[in-house]
Amino acid sequence: MVSHNEKLVFLCSLINIFSSIVIVLLNKWIYTKYNFPNITLTCIHFVVTSLGLLICRHANIFQPKSLPFLSMIPIAISFCGFVVFTNLSLESNTVGTYQIIKTMTTPCIIFIQTYYYGRHFSTKVKLTLIPITIGVVLNSVYDVKFNIVGIIFAAVGVLITSLYQVLVGEKQHELQVNSMQLLYYQAPLSAFLLLFVIPFFEPLDAFHGVFFNWPFEALVAVFMSACVAFVVNLSIFWIIGNTSPVTYNMIGHLKFCLTLLGGFILFHDPIQILQLLGILTTVAGVLIYTHIKREEMKKNSSLPTASESRTKS
């Protein structure tokens, strides 16, 4: 029997997968056709997310909770680091190299949660990383070129991304807030901090053509991208807060495979036999992980609480 919470997780995962694929396509179009600055677009995303949450607050969809400012700084800074080093990694590496190194995010999260937050992961859960990693490697094997600078950027990006995702989950539980309440404070703070990052990576002369020669369709595309980003950000925080950063990463691997498969079906992008095998292997690993976590949740829910044990004894 599927529980109500499992239905919510499944629905939110579908929303996240669909919105993430849409935003990738939109952003790719904006970058290639209008040469729009990457980090600036991310900053706009968080500004619109902040406005969207403000509207939700006034519509009584959620009630904000007062949070200590110092508790939000690590999340906002780690997010900025995640954006910067992800972009540097993509700039310095091929997509295949980027994806292969990115698979280290999941074991890095497990390490951080195990040794710094006392979380426990069963051996079965850890073993599901094997088929998923093999699948991603097979997907990316035709586009791998290693270089020292690219590897350094990618490795730092993996570390900061892992820390950011762990902090999102831990802060929701530590501060007893939901995804909207946490994002309500993090989004504007991250947008503000990115304003100090932009001048170092996106020179002012890059904006001349953007701000003075914007056609109407570019404005529409940027606005649509920002609206979809609101859904993506909210669903990410909800998934991490209600499941775990590891589960969110499993969904991320699945999104990568679906994007490749969608490109093959919709746009007839070439796909090799090894890549198809990689997709199947990754999907199998994600399904096995989902089954194991569901069984563990059933087992934990069936265990008596301490008070129940004392009553029985």
Side-chain angles (χ1 to χ4, degrees), residues 66-299:
S66 180
L67 301 178
F69 178 74
L70 292 178
S71 295
M72 300 308 301
I73 291 178
I75 300 181
I77 292 177
S78 60
F79 169 78
C80 293
F82 148 66
V83 171
V84 169
F85 282 98
T86 296
N87 288 331
L88 288 174
S89 176
L90 280 170
E91 184 180 323
S92 306
N93 296 306
T94 63
V95 174
T97 304
Y98 166 78
Q99 288 293 346
I100 287 177
I101 299 178
K102 189 180 176 183
T103 59
M104 296 305 296
T105 302
T106 308
C108 189
I109 286 173
I110 290 177
F111 177 83
I112 293 173
Q113 288 196 302
T114 300
Y115 291 98
Y116 291 94
Y117 291 96
R119 298 284 187 265
H120 172 72
F121 297 89
S122 66
T123 302
K124 290 181 179 179
V125 167
K126 294 176 182 177
L127 287 175
T128 60
L129 298 179
I130 296 175
I132 290 170
T133 302
I134 292 173
V136 174
V137 170
L138 290 175
N139 281 326
S140 310
V141 71
Y142 293 101
D143 189 27
V144 176
K145 290 180 182 178
F146 294 107
N147 68 84
I148 298 299
V149 175
I151 289 174
I152 292 173
F153 285 149
V156 175
V158 164
L159 181 61
I160 296 179
T161 300
S162 304
L163 181 61
Y164 171 66
Q165 293 182 13
V166 169
L167 284 174
V168 167
E170 294 296 332
K171 290 298 180 182
Q172 288 190 55
H173 291 94
E174 175 190 328
L175 301 173
Q176 292 298 297
V177 292
N178 59 35
S179 54
M180 280 188 161
Q181 290 170 327
L182 185 64
L183 192 57
Y184 182 74
Y185 283 91
Q186 191 248 314
L189 184 56
S190 292
F192 176 73
L193 292 177
L194 282 177
L195 291 176
F196 296 93
V197 174
I198 289 170
F200 292 98
F201 293 91
E202 297 169 354
L204 292 177
D205 57 357
F207 294 89
H208 183 272
V210 173
F211 287 111
F212 294 99
N213 297 301
W214 260 2
F216 179 72
E217 62 266 21
L219 291 171
V220 172
V222 170
F223 178 72
M224 288 176 62
S225 175
C227 291
V228 177
F230 170 68
V231 178
V232 172
N233 290 329
L234 197 57
S235 60
I236 288 173
F237 272 58
W238 193 94
I239 292 170
I240 292 176
N242 289 273
T243 58
S244 71
V246 175
T247 298
Y248 171 70
N249 267 269
M250 294 297 177
I251 295 171
H253 296 315
L254 185 60
K255 284 189 288 191
F256 171 55
C257 291
L258 291 175
T259 302
L260 285 178
L261 199 58
F264 171 70
I265 295 172
L266 298 175
F267 305 108
H268 305 291
D269 291 341
I271 189 168
Q272 305 293 330
I273 296 297
L274 277 180
Q275 290 177 305
L276 185 59
L277 181 61
I279 290 173
L280 295 175
T281 305
T282 302
V283 171
V286 172
L287 290 175
I288 293 170
Y289 170 83
T290 303
H291 174 72
I292 291 172
K293 289 299 292 183
R294 190 179 180 195
E295 291 300 314
E296 288 181 353
M297 288 174 64
K298 284 182 179 178
K299 184 178 179 180

